[in-house]
């Protein structure tokens, strides 16, 4: 049995964790956040809660479709069948499709928690700032607060590429591959409002500041109060990356009101979040990166795509790679 460290409790790192644990290894997961999920995170303010990052999972490959069916069978995710609209210059139009969308239960992080249960230990609120291999080839990790963690036979790094670069000073080739991937930001406004029954459950928006809005409480198992997730487009978020928060909130609210012709509506709670590294613009074409000599793999959606499915594929690929190296 090997002892393996995973830096980053996103879907990729946790998928790898579960696969490595199933193969009989002991996995310790580190994340700088208090909880798991990464860009699949949920947010709670007062009585309201929202899926703040990934909104739903869908499958393009047969493998991921099977995985979604399995998680659904376990009750970790459930289908979500929103009334969807598309918003263009022509206005708001119903836009039914036959996409099977799944959401974590009772929020997106339900899925990350399920996967995390396979870890031997979760070291939350721990930002890893340095790592190196000792003379016995074992990995030593150093946290921002000065704590050290050692005794790891292998290492997986599951962070956005910009956050992986400082952790790869020993592997310049991998560092270089990471530096080629650019990530776009995404401003996200979460609202708890009075009931807005005239609106669709979700909408894809073609132009203007917003790209996607969704009624969070139309998803299964959510708190009943009316709650909305408003996600800005990546181009608008890029242009307004450093804009004052009040201005961002004002513009997103104005766009929401204008699209759905809402003159005024009551807001009980809100939260504005800027995802700095939201979506990869130019993902790599391999599913993970690895340094065989060092028993090191790097994974994340940005290796092969820009979705939960890509993260899952990358996590599986990193675990498979390490299992070969450990044999
Ligand atoms: C706003 C938004 C909406 C999205 N909507 C969808 C959607 O509807 N459907 C879909 O399929 N995909 C969606 N995505 C994409 C999806 O969320 C990602 O593809 C997926 O979650 C990426 O998972 P990951 O494991 O690669 O990385 P992440 O989820 O980014 O995980 C990386 C983890 O590493 C941690 N970390 C970073 N640096 C360190 C460090 N030094 N030490 C310790 N921990 C560290 C972070 O805290 C994080 O938890 C969306 C993304 C965003 C931002």
């Amino acid at each position: 049995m090997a002892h393996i460290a995973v830096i980053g409790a996103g879907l990729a790192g946790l998928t790898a964790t579960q696969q490595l644990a199933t193969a009989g290894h002991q996995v310790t997961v580190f994340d700088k956040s208090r909880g798991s999920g990464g860009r699949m995170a949920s947010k709670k303010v007062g009585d309201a809660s929202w899926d703040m990052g990934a909104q739903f999972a869908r499958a393009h490959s047969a493998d991921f479709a099977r995985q979604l069916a399995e998680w659904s069978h376990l009750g970790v995710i459930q289908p979500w069948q929103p009334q969807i609209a598309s918003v263009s210059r022509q206005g708001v139009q119903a836009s039914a499709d036959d996409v099977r969308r799944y959401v974590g239960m009772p929020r997106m992080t339900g899925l990350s928690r399920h996967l995390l249960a396979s870890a031997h230990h979760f070291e939350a609120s721990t930002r890893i700032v340095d790592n190196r291999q000792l003379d016995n080839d074992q990995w030593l990790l150093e946290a921002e607060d000065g704590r050290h963690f050692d005794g790891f036979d292998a290492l997986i790094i599951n962070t956005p590429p910009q956050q992986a670069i400082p952790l790869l000073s020993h592997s310049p080739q991998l560092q270089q591959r990471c530096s080629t991937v650019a990530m776009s930001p995404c401003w996200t406004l979460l609202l708890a409002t009075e009931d807005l029954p005239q609106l669709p459950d979700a909408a894809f928006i073609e132009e203007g500041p917003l790209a996607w809005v969704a009624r969070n409480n139309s998803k299964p198992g959510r708190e009943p109060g009316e709650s909305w997730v408003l996600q800005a487009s990546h181009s608008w978020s890029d242009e307004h990356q450093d804009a004052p928060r009040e201005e961002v909130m004002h513009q997103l609210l104005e766009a929401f009101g204008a699209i759905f012709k809402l003159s005024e509506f009551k807001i009980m709670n809100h939260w504005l979040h800027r995802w700095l590294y939201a979506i990869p613009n130019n993902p790599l074409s391999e599913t993970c990166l690895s340094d065989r000599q060092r028993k090191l793999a790097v994974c994340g959606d940005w290796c092969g795509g820009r979705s939960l499915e890509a993260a899952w594929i990358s996590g599986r690929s990193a675990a498979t790679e390490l299992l070969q190296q450990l044999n």
Side-chain angles (χ1 to χ4, degrees), residues 7-13 30-33 37-40 52-57 126-128 158-160 163 167 186 188 231 275 278-279 300-301 306-309 311:
I7 306 175
L11 183 61
F30 298 85
D31 203 290
K32 63 182 174 59
S33 301
R39 278 174 279 152
M40 214 167 46
M52 184 161 73
Q55 297 292 292
F56 57 84
T126 303
R127 183 192 289 269
I128 302 300
N158 162 225
T159 68
Q163 292 166 325
L167 300 174
C186 177
T188 299
Q231 290 177 344
W275 293 99
I279 293 287
D301 59 344
R306 45 171 69 91
S307 63
L308 292 169
E309 180 170 20

Side-chain angles (χ1 to χ4, degrees), residues 237-292:
S237 300
D238 217 12
E239 281 162 27
H240 295 77
Q241 186 164 317
D242 299 313
R245 297 176 67 82
E246 304 72 44
E247 184 192 323
V248 170
M249 173 147 168
H250 173 76
Q251 290 208 38
L252 297 186
L253 273 179
E254 197 172 59
F256 185 54
I259 290 168
F260 296 108
K261 304 193 173 24
L262 302 166
S263 50
E264 254 183 31
F265 58 98
K266 199 168 158 201
I267 299 175
M268 275 81 89
N269 253 317
H270 72 273
W271 186 264
L272 179 69
H273 182 75
R274 185 188 67 171
W275 293 99
L276 188 53
Y277 305 122
I279 293 287
N281 296 335
N282 53 337
L284 301 176
S285 48
E286 50 263 64
T287 47
C288 77
L289 303 174
S290 75
D291 185 334
R292 292 189 150 231

Side-chain angles (χ1 to χ4, degrees), residues 37-281:
R39 278 174 279 152
M40 214 167 46
S42 313
K43 179 77 193 169
K44 194 164 176 27
V45 178
D47 293 338
S49 70
W50 306 263
D51 295 325
M52 184 161 73
Q55 297 292 292
F56 57 84
R58 63 174 289 191
H60 292 90
S61 66
D63 277 353
F64 194 52
R66 265 193 297 277
Q67 178 64 85
L68 291 177
E70 192 182 310
W71 285 334
S72 181
H73 182 70
L74 291 172
V76 180
I77 60 173
Q78 266 190 26
W80 175 43
Q81 290 161 319
Q83 262 186 303
I84 296 212
S86 71
V87 179
S88 64
R89 283 188 187 175
Q90 280 72 49
V92 181
Q93 278 163 338
S95 170
D97 59 31
D98 56 4
V99 175
R100 280 169 177 251
R101 297 181 172 85
Y102 290 87
V103 295
M105 294 296 293
R107 41 195 133 263
M108 288 306 277
T109 41
L111 174 55
S112 62
R113 283 185 189 185
H114 164 73
L115 296 171
L116 185 59
S118 62
H120 169 67
H121 181 60
F122 179 41
E123 201 66 49
S125 307
T126 303
R127 183 192 289 269
I128 302 300
V129 291
D130 203 2
N131 58 15
R132 60 182 176 279
Q133 261 180 317
L134 303 175
D135 292 341
N136 61 3
D137 281 352
Q138 289 200 322
W139 284 97
L140 169 84
L141 309 186
E142 185 180 334
E144 192 174 37
D145 58 12
R147 282 180 300 152
H148 287 84
F149 303 88
D150 59 8
F152 302 110
D153 306 300
L155 173 64
I156 289 189
I157 298 177
N158 162 225
T159 68
Q162 288 71 13
Q163 292 166 325
I165 288 170
L167 300 174
L168 288 168
S169 51
H170 38 69
S171 301
Q173 273 187 330
L174 300 193
Q175 218 172 23
Q176 195 278 332
R177 297 292 291 134
C178 292
S179 67
T180 63
V181 181
M183 302 281 287
S184 280
C186 177
W187 277 107
T188 299
L189 180 59
L190 309 174
L191 301 173
T193 65
E194 65 180 289
D195 284 352
L196 301 171
Q198 69 276 32
L199 270 55
D201 293 332
F204 291 103
I205 300 154
E206 277 179 18
E207 281 184 11
L210 291 171
W212 164 262
V213 298
R215 188 198 312 271
N216 202 74
N217 55 307
S218 68
K219 296 179 176 179
R222 269 55 181 175
E223 281 83 6
E226 185 90 348
S227 55
W228 284 87
V229 176
L230 279 53
Q231 290 177 344
S233 73
H234 300 303
S235 58
W236 190 91
S237 300
D238 217 12
E239 281 162 27
H240 295 77
Q241 186 164 317
D242 299 313
R245 297 176 67 82
E246 304 72 44
E247 184 192 323
V248 170
M249 173 147 168
H250 173 76
Q251 290 208 38
L252 297 186
L253 273 179
E254 197 172 59
F256 185 54
I259 290 168
F260 296 108
K261 304 193 173 24
L262 302 166
S263 50
E264 254 183 31
F265 58 98
K266 199 168 158 201
I267 299 175
M268 275 81 89
N269 253 317
H270 72 273
W271 186 264
L272 179 69
H273 182 75
R274 185 188 67 171
W275 293 99
L276 188 53
Y277 305 122
I279 293 287
N281 296 335

